[in-house]
């Protein structure tokens, strides 16, 4: 059974890890996460297009010959960053405080593919996730978390497919030939 923390302990933890002023006195209510908008609409009607941000968290600007862009209000970005920072600190705190069993118990709800990882790998994954999430939040760069999740998901895919696991883990047959000498400076 997972350890349940009393509400007052959770509130005390949140107050310790988040600096004062991280949460706003009021929060704007939006109806959708994002809205798709052609990039050209922003160019031709900037005021009307950006005005849509009062109804949605962000605008997804579709471009024909390049990747889509996102446009959001700075306040929304700061709120999102506060939530990510809180979640990473909470995860790290739960793991450090001896509540790793509770995190392990609910992890399959958040990441169902964890079911295919061996128990030892789940422990390594949780330790890496807590460390990387905290560091990424401190740098305001979530890319390392996305990379870590993708790497561990691929690991779970290998464990889920016995044929793939066998192919990847077997020793190569025969001599693989000479190894080229590395070039200087590489």
């Amino acid at each position: 059974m997972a350890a349940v923390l009393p509400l007052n302990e959770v509130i005390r933890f949140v107050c310790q890890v988040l600096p004062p002023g991280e949460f706003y006195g009021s929060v704007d209510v939006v109806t959708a996460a994002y809205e798709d908008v052609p990039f050209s609409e922003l160019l031709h009607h900037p005021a009307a297009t950006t005005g849509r941000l009062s109804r949605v968290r962000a605008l997804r600007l579709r471009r024909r010959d390049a990747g889509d862009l996102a446009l959001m209000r700075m306040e929304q970005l700061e709120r999102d960053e506060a939530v990510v920072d809180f979640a990473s600190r909470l995860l790290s705190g739960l793991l450090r405080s001896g509540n790793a069993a509770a995190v392990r118990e609910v992890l399959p709800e958040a990441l169902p593919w964890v079911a295919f990882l061996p128990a030892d790998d789940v422990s390594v994954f949780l330790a890496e996730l807590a460390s990387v999430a905290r560091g990424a939040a401190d740098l305001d760069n979530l890319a390392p978390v996305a990379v870590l999740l993708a790497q561990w998901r691929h690991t779970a895919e290998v464990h889920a497919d016995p044929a793939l696991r066998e192919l990847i883990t077997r020793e190569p047959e025969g001599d693989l030939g000479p190894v080229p000498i590395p070039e200087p400076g590489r």
Side-chain angles (χ1 to χ4, degrees):
M1 180 123 211
V4 178
L5 295 173
L7 182 58
N8 64 337
E9 286 185 35
V10 173
I11 292 170
R12 188 173 339 117
F13 178 77
V14 170
C15 291
Q16 288 174 349
V17 298
L18 290 178
E22 282 294 315
F23 290 100
Y24 300 91
S26 65
V27 176
D28 296 333
V29 177
V30 294
T31 58
Y34 69 89
E35 187 176 313
D36 278 332
V37 177
F39 185 72
S40 59
E41 186 172 323
L42 175 65
L43 297 175
H44 297 299
H45 310 287
T49 304
T50 57
R52 293 179 180 197
L53 290 171
S54 64
R55 297 186 313 270
V56 294
R57 292 180 57 229
L59 296 176
R60 180 178 186 161
L61 303 172
R62 291 187 322 272
R63 300 188 299 170
R64 289 186 197 142
D65 298 329
D68 292 350
L69 299 174
L71 180 66
M72 67 174 31
R73 292 185 329 233
M74 196 64 197
E75 295 85 17
Q76 183 64 51
L77 178 63
E78 289 169 352
R79 284 193 294 264
D80 291 353
E81 288 173 346
V83 170
V84 170
D85 187 57
F86 163 73
S88 66
R89 289 174 190 256
L90 183 64
L91 176 62
S92 295
L94 284 171
L95 293 173
R96 269 194 325 274
S97 68
N99 288 305
V103 176
R104 284 180 78 108
E105 187 175 317
V106 298
L107 190 61
E109 292 177 33
L111 304 169
W113 48 261
V114 167
F116 297 106
L117 293 175
D120 289 345
D121 282 2
V122 173
S123 297
V124 173
F125 168 61
L126 281 174
E128 287 181 13
L129 181 60
S131 174
V132 169
R134 182 67 197 109
D138 195 52
L139 294 174
D140 292 329
N141 179 0
L142 297 179
V145 177
V147 169
L148 181 75
L149 290 173
Q151 290 170 337
W152 277 102
R153 183 182 179 116
H154 292 315
T155 301
E157 290 169 350
V158 171
H159 285 291
D161 185 344
L164 180 59
R165 182 178 165 86
E166 174 10 57
L167 180 69
I168 290 175
T169 59
R170 75 172 174 225
E171 289 292 323
E173 296 175 9
D175 186 1
L176 299 176
V179 176
I181 297 173
E183 295 178 25
R186 283 197 169 192

